[in-house]
Each structure stands twice: as structure tokens, then as C-alpha cells.
Amino acid sequence: MSPSFSPLRILHLEDSELDHELVSMALDSDLGRDFTIQRVEDEEGFLGALRDSPPHIVLSDYALPGYDGLSAFHAAHTLEPNLPFIIVTGAMGEEVAVDTLRQGVTDYILKARLERLAPAVTRALAEADARLSRERAEQEVRALNASLQLRLEEVERLRGTTERQNQRLEVQARQLEEALNLQKTFLAETSHELRTPLTALLGYLRRAEREAGGSQVLQDAQRVAENMTRLVNDLLQLSRGELVQSIEMHFVNLGNVLRQVGRDYGVQADVPDCEIVGDPGRLTQVFANLVSNGIRVSGGPDKVRIELRLRPGEVEALVIDHGPGVPDDIKPRIFDKFYRGKEAGSAGLGLTIAQQVVTAHSGAIDVFDTPGGGATFRVRLPLPDDADEDEDFA
């Protein structure tokens, strides 16, 4: 209702033309702003003006023929509760004046004191603006409170959801921890149980080999038993959270190691000689694990082969299979302890042991796709400083 940027619209309910002129003159003299004033004489004209040209303020006589100021006030208040309403009357008793103010009339001015009219109009408009601003602010506060309440309810809902999820995660974490502890206990107990018969078997094979005088079959059996004993010891160490140890480094022909693994598992291993510094038993363990994995997932030794390639400063040993391959999302985790892929069929420690052995040799192991399908495990090992880097094994 603020008329700040337009002429003030005043609706004057007055049956006397002279009194209307006096009111207009008083306002024109003292109000200090542009205004338009419309006079109506009766209820019909008053209600029509309220609807057709809503005013910023109403000035009304108290007593009119067939109508009165209080009835006009209630009609205006019904249409616009915040509309300022001032009664301008010739005479009004104190009790009547108090009653009109109690009912909500903004102010009353006696026609004999019209010098008070302009200040009363200014004050009434200012109070109406302040009241309107206050109501708007209160509405904004209520809307903000409602929005905050909704947000608080959403926060509480999310908090409840988070607490339930945390509880589920805690249960899952405990279950995983229990499963891991059971797996470690099983590995430790199994390793202890296997070490005794393997130690006895290795002793019998050594005695038989001495008595037979260098039988190749007994030598191969003894070597396999030694590898089994070493694997059992590694499982025991890993179940305790320890790293694979007992690496004995010396000059070794990596080509012999790979060809021997090829004979043991019946896979193609047409590789040349290549001298490195390493532990032949541990290296045999690495490549035996990679080859046995390749045979298991590809379906037979005819789908697995071993290659050896020389690179500047290092040698690459490749175990290539034509099985289902390793999905890209699994490659980064395949060397993690206890990780088992869909085709694992094991405790998930073989590749972990292989990685630790290769790392102990200052090397690296990774996996990539075999062209045409399958997986290729690549073991890179450093060459001795005096190795002939120009030799071609291709």
C-alpha cells in the first residue's frame, strides 16, 4: 500500500461538499506531497470506490445519512486489513472516540482542528508501512523457520540413516575381521600340520637319492619337496603378517630355472640361458605359481608358455596363457594378500608370495592382457652390472 513513488490516493467519505473542500485545503497546505482525493457520499459509493480504485488511506465523517464511520471502517477493514482509516468529524464524545480506537480505527480528527489532519495522515501512513514491513518480515521469518525445520528433519533423517549404515558397517567389519582371523588360524594350523610330513618326506628322498647314486627322478622329487616345504613356511609367515624372508642370493641361470619349471608342468619353455643374481629356489617358486595358475584358468598346459626377453639393464620373464584373462578392475588388486578372483581356487596367497619374492630380488611383477585373449604375467629382474646388454634373445 506504500505510495512512495505515486500520488497519494485518498478516499473521503463525506456528505458535505464544504467540509470536503476544507479537508482538501488543509491537506494541500500541510501534507507536503502530491495526492488525489475522491469524495463519496454514501455506502454504495464508498464500497464501489474501495473496489474500483483502492486508496492508500480513508478519511470518513462519523455520522452520515443512512451510513456511519464505524460501518465504513469495518467494510474497509474486511477488504484491506492494513488500510489506514481516520475519522474526521465535527463532534465526538470521549467515550465514542475511545470506542472507535478500540475497534481499530487509526485516528480521529475534529473538523475544528484540521491543522492536525496532515500530521495524522503522515503518521498513519508511516505506521501502516511499518506494520506491513513487520508483517512481511514475520512472514519471511516464519517461512525461514519452516524451511529450517524441514532441513532439521532432513538432517535427523540422514543422521538416523547414517547411524544405521555405520552399525551395519561395524557388523560387517567385525564379520570380516573374524573371517580373516579364522583364515589366518586355518593357514597357521595347516602349515604346522604340513611341515612335519614334508620334512619326513624330504628326508626319505635325500636318503633314497644318496643310495640310488644321483637319480634324476629322485633329484626332481627332492626339489619339488623342497619347494613345497618353502611354500608351507611362507604360508606360515604370511598368516602371522610377516614378509617372505630367507632369500639366498647368488649367481643363477634363469634360463635353467624356467626350463625346469616348463618340464615339471609340461609347458613350452624354449628360453635361452641368462645369468642373474637371485635365489633359484625362490625364483622356481614364483614361476611355478604363475605357470600352475595359468594352467588352471586356461584349461591345460598346451595353452601356457614361458618366454624370456632381454631389456636394457634387466630381463623379462613372461608366463603367457590363453585363458579368460584378468579384468581391468581386478588387475590392481590381484597381488593383494587373500584376494581371490572368480577363478582363484586357492587361498589367495600365491601371487602375494610371488610379488614379495620378486621385490626382494629388486624386481617387479605385473599383469596385462595377452593379445588374442588371456593374461600375461611379466617378471622383471635386474641384470648383473657386467651383463651383455647387446645380446638378443628374441
Side-chain angles (χ1 to χ4, degrees):
M1 290 291 294
S2 176
S4 301
F5 301 103
S6 60
L8 179 66
R9 294 191 304 275
I10 301 174
L11 177 60
H12 191 195
L13 178 58
E14 175 61 66
D15 61 327
S16 169
E17 178 67 26
L18 178 59
D19 287 344
H20 172 68
E21 292 294 334
L22 291 173
V23 166
S24 298
M25 291 173 60
L27 293 175
D28 188 56
S29 174
D30 300 331
L31 189 59
R33 61 183 298 177
D34 293 337
F35 68 92
T36 61
I37 184 165
Q38 178 184 1
R39 183 175 76 92
V40 292
E41 299 181 359
D42 52 25
E43 178 181 6
E44 181 180 359
F46 179 72
L47 297 178
L50 285 178
R51 289 190 302 268
D52 299 338
S53 181
H56 296 121
I57 188 168
V58 173
L59 307 179
S60 174
D61 197 356
Y62 182 73
L64 300 100
Y67 203 39
D68 64 85
L70 278 179
S71 297
F73 164 73
H74 289 301
H77 184 75
T78 300
L79 292 176
E80 176 52 62
N82 289 319
L83 181 64
F85 195 101
I86 298 176
I87 289 180
V88 183
T89 186
M92 178 179 287
E94 183 177 350
E95 292 183 2
V96 175
V98 170
D99 183 61
T100 59
L101 295 176
R102 181 180 59 80
Q103 293 191 46
V105 171
T106 308
D107 204 349
Y108 72 93
I109 300 295
L110 297 177
K111 293 180 178 179
R113 303 291 302 274
L114 288 180
E115 69 274 8
R116 296 178 52 195
L117 180 58
V121 169
T122 301
R123 182 172 59 252
L125 292 171
E127 290 175 354
D129 284 344
R131 185 166 53 252
L132 183 60
S133 297
R134 184 169 59 252
E135 291 179 355
R136 288 174 178 170
E138 290 174 352
Q139 290 176 355
E140 291 176 357
V141 169
R142 286 193 293 271
L144 179 59
N145 287 337
S147 176
L148 289 175
Q149 182 63 34
L150 290 176
R151 293 186 181 184
L152 286 174
E153 293 174 358
E154 180 66 13
V155 168
E156 289 299 322
R157 187 187 67 80
L158 292 175
R159 180 182 299 170
T161 302
T162 301
E163 289 177 354
R164 291 191 295 271
Q165 290 177 343
N166 287 338
Q167 291 173 356
R168 287 197 295 269
L169 289 175
E170 289 174 0
V171 171
Q172 292 176 354
R174 287 195 298 270
Q175 292 173 343
L176 289 173
E177 185 177 5
E178 291 173 0
L180 185 59
N181 289 334
L182 287 174
Q183 193 170 26
K184 289 181 178 180
T185 301
F186 170 76
L187 287 173
E189 292 176 353
T190 302
S191 299
H192 280 295
E193 293 295 328
L194 289 175
R195 279 206 299 181
T196 300
L198 279 174
T199 301
L201 176 61
L202 187 57
Y204 289 133
L205 289 173
R206 287 172 178 167
R207 180 188 299 175
E209 194 270 332
R210 288 195 299 270
E211 293 176 353
S215 168
Q216 183 62 47
V217 174
L218 290 176
Q219 289 178 1
D220 289 344
Q222 180 178 329
R223 178 174 49 77
V224 172
E226 289 173 348
N227 289 337
M228 286 291 295
T229 301
R230 187 179 295 110
L231 176 59
V232 169
N233 290 334
D234 290 344
L235 291 175
L236 183 58
Q237 283 183 297
L238 285 175
S239 70
R240 296 169 179 166
E242 301 172 359
L243 295 176
V244 172
Q245 300 173 354
S246 66
I247 305 291
E248 298 179 5
M249 309 286 278
H250 51 80
F251 284 101
V252 59
N253 189 331
L254 183 59
N256 286 339
V257 171
L258 298 178
R259 287 190 292 270
Q260 184 63 58
V261 171
R263 286 195 298 271
D264 290 343
Y265 288 91
V267 303
Q268 179 184 347
D270 297 330
V271 298
D273 293 335
C274 178
E275 190 175 68
I276 64 170
V277 176
D279 184 326
R282 290 296 188 182
L283 293 173
T284 297
Q285 181 182 358
V286 169
F287 292 106
N289 177 272
L290 297 178
V291 169
S292 63
N293 285 346
I295 292 173
R296 183 176 69 251
V297 300
S298 63
D302 58 319
K303 296 181 180 180
V304 180
R305 72 179 187 275
I306 302 173
E307 294 183 1
L308 190 66
R309 300 173 184 172
L310 191 66
R311 303 296 184 195
E314 65 179 15
V315 62
E316 288 184 352
L318 307 176
V319 177
I320 305 168
D321 71 62
H322 292 281
V326 179
D328 291 338
D329 60 322
I330 292 178
K331 288 185 177 73
R333 297 177 289 159
I334 198 168
F335 297 102
D336 293 347
K337 185 165 60 174
F338 298 124
Y339 180 78
R340 301 172 63 181
K342 292 195 301 182
E343 304 292 336
S346 66
L349 289 172
L351 291 177
T352 301
I353 294 172
Q355 185 183 53
Q356 291 189 7
V357 170
V358 172
T359 301
H361 283 74
S362 300
I365 182 172
D366 60 356
V367 59
F368 55 88
D369 295 336
T370 300
T376 296
F377 283 83
R378 175 175 56 189
V379 176
R380 293 179 294 165
L381 298 168
L383 289 170
D385 291 339
D386 58 350
D388 183 8
E389 298 183 359
D390 294 329
E391 185 177 353
D392 185 6
F393 290 99

Coordinates of all heavy atoms in Angstrom, one line a residue, residues 16 18 32 35 38 119-120 145 151-153 163 191 246 254 275 280 317 343-344:
S16 N -20.8 16.4 3.0 CA -20.8 17.9 2.9 C -19.7 18.3 2.0 O -18.5 18.0 2.2 CB -20.6 18.5 4.3 OG -20.3 19.9 4.2
L18 N -18.7 21.3 1.4 CA -17.9 22.3 2.1 C -16.9 21.7 3.0 O -15.7 22.1 2.9 CB -18.8 23.3 2.9 CG -18.0 24.4 3.7 CD1 -17.2 25.3 2.8 CD2 -19.0 25.2 4.5
G32 N 2.4 18.3 2.1 CA 3.8 18.3 1.6 C 4.1 17.2 0.5 O 5.2 16.8 0.4
F35 N -1.2 14.4 -4.0 CA -2.2 13.5 -3.6 C -3.4 13.7 -4.5 O -3.6 14.8 -5.1 CB -2.6 13.6 -2.2 CG -3.3 14.9 -1.8 CD1 -4.6 15.1 -1.8 CD2 -2.5 16.0 -1.5 CE1 -5.2 16.3 -1.5 CE2 -3.1 17.2 -1.1 CZ -4.5 17.4 -1.2
Q38 N -10.7 11.6 -3.5 CA -12.0 11.3 -4.1 C -13.1 11.3 -3.0 O -13.0 10.7 -2.0 CB -12.0 9.9 -4.8 CG -13.3 9.4 -5.4 CD -13.2 8.0 -5.9 OE1 -12.2 7.3 -5.8 NE2 -14.3 7.6 -6.5
P119 N -0.5 15.9 9.7 CA 0.4 15.1 10.5 C -0.2 13.7 10.9 O 0.5 12.7 10.9 CB 0.6 15.9 11.8 CG 0.4 17.3 11.4 CD -0.7 17.2 10.4
A120 N -1.5 13.7 11.1 CA -2.2 12.4 11.4 C -2.1 11.5 10.2 O -1.9 10.3 10.3 CB -3.6 12.6 11.8
N145 N 11.8 -20.3 9.3 CA 11.7 -21.3 10.3 C 11.1 -22.6 9.8 O 11.6 -23.7 10.2 CB 10.8 -20.8 11.4 CG 11.4 -19.7 12.3 OD1 12.7 -19.6 12.3 ND2 10.7 -18.9 12.9
R151 N 14.7 -28.7 7.1 CA 16.1 -29.1 7.0 C 16.6 -29.9 8.2 O 17.3 -30.9 8.1 CB 17.0 -27.9 6.8 CG 16.8 -27.2 5.5 CD 17.8 -26.0 5.2 NE 17.6 -25.4 4.0 CZ 18.3 -24.4 3.5 NH1 19.4 -24.0 4.2 NH2 18.1 -23.8 2.3
L152 N 16.1 -29.4 9.4 CA 16.5 -30.2 10.6 C 15.9 -31.6 10.5 O 16.6 -32.5 10.9 CB 15.9 -29.4 11.8 CG 16.7 -28.1 12.2 CD1 16.0 -27.4 13.3 CD2 18.1 -28.5 12.6
E153 N 14.7 -31.7 10.1 CA 14.1 -33.0 9.9 C 14.8 -33.9 9.0 O 15.0 -35.1 9.2 CB 12.6 -32.9 9.5 CG 11.7 -32.3 10.5 CD 10.3 -32.0 10.0 OE1 10.1 -32.3 8.8 OE2 9.4 -31.5 10.8
E163 N 23.6 -43.5 11.0 CA 23.8 -44.3 12.2 C 23.5 -45.8 11.8 O 24.3 -46.7 12.2 CB 23.0 -43.9 13.3 CG 23.4 -42.5 13.9 CD 22.5 -42.0 15.0 OE1 21.5 -42.7 15.3 OE2 22.9 -41.0 15.7
S191 N 49.7 -75.1 8.0 CA 51.1 -75.1 7.8 C 51.9 -75.9 8.8 O 52.8 -76.7 8.4 CB 51.6 -73.6 7.8 OG 51.0 -72.8 6.8
S246 N 64.2 -65.3 4.1 CA 65.2 -66.4 3.8 C 65.4 -66.4 2.3 O 65.2 -67.5 1.6 CB 64.7 -67.8 4.2 OG 63.5 -68.1 3.6
L254 N 68.9 -68.1 -15.1 CA 67.4 -68.0 -15.1 C 66.8 -68.9 -16.2 O 65.7 -69.4 -16.0 CB 67.0 -66.6 -15.3 CG 65.5 -66.2 -15.3 CD1 64.9 -66.7 -13.9 CD2 65.2 -64.8 -15.6
E275 N 72.2 -65.3 -17.1 CA 72.7 -65.3 -15.7 C 72.3 -64.0 -15.0 O 72.4 -62.9 -15.5 CB 74.2 -65.4 -15.7 CG 74.8 -65.7 -14.4 CD 76.3 -65.9 -14.4 OE1 77.0 -64.9 -14.7 OE2 76.7 -67.0 -14.1
P280 N 67.6 -69.4 -6.7 CA 67.0 -70.3 -7.6 C 65.7 -71.0 -7.1 O 64.7 -71.1 -7.8 CB 68.1 -71.3 -8.0 CG 69.0 -71.2 -6.9 CD 69.0 -69.8 -6.4
A317 N 60.8 -62.1 -17.8 CA 60.3 -63.5 -17.9 C 58.8 -63.4 -18.0 O 58.2 -62.8 -17.1 CB 60.8 -64.3 -16.8
E343 N 38.2 -67.2 -10.6 CA 38.8 -68.4 -11.0 C 40.0 -68.8 -10.0 O 40.8 -69.6 -10.4 CB 39.4 -68.3 -12.4 CG 38.4 -67.9 -13.5 CD 37.4 -69.0 -13.7 OE1 37.7 -70.1 -13.4 OE2 36.2 -68.7 -14.1
A344 N 40.0 -68.2 -8.8 CA 41.1 -68.4 -8.0 C 41.4 -69.8 -7.6 O 42.4 -70.4 -7.9 CB 41.0 -67.5 -6.7

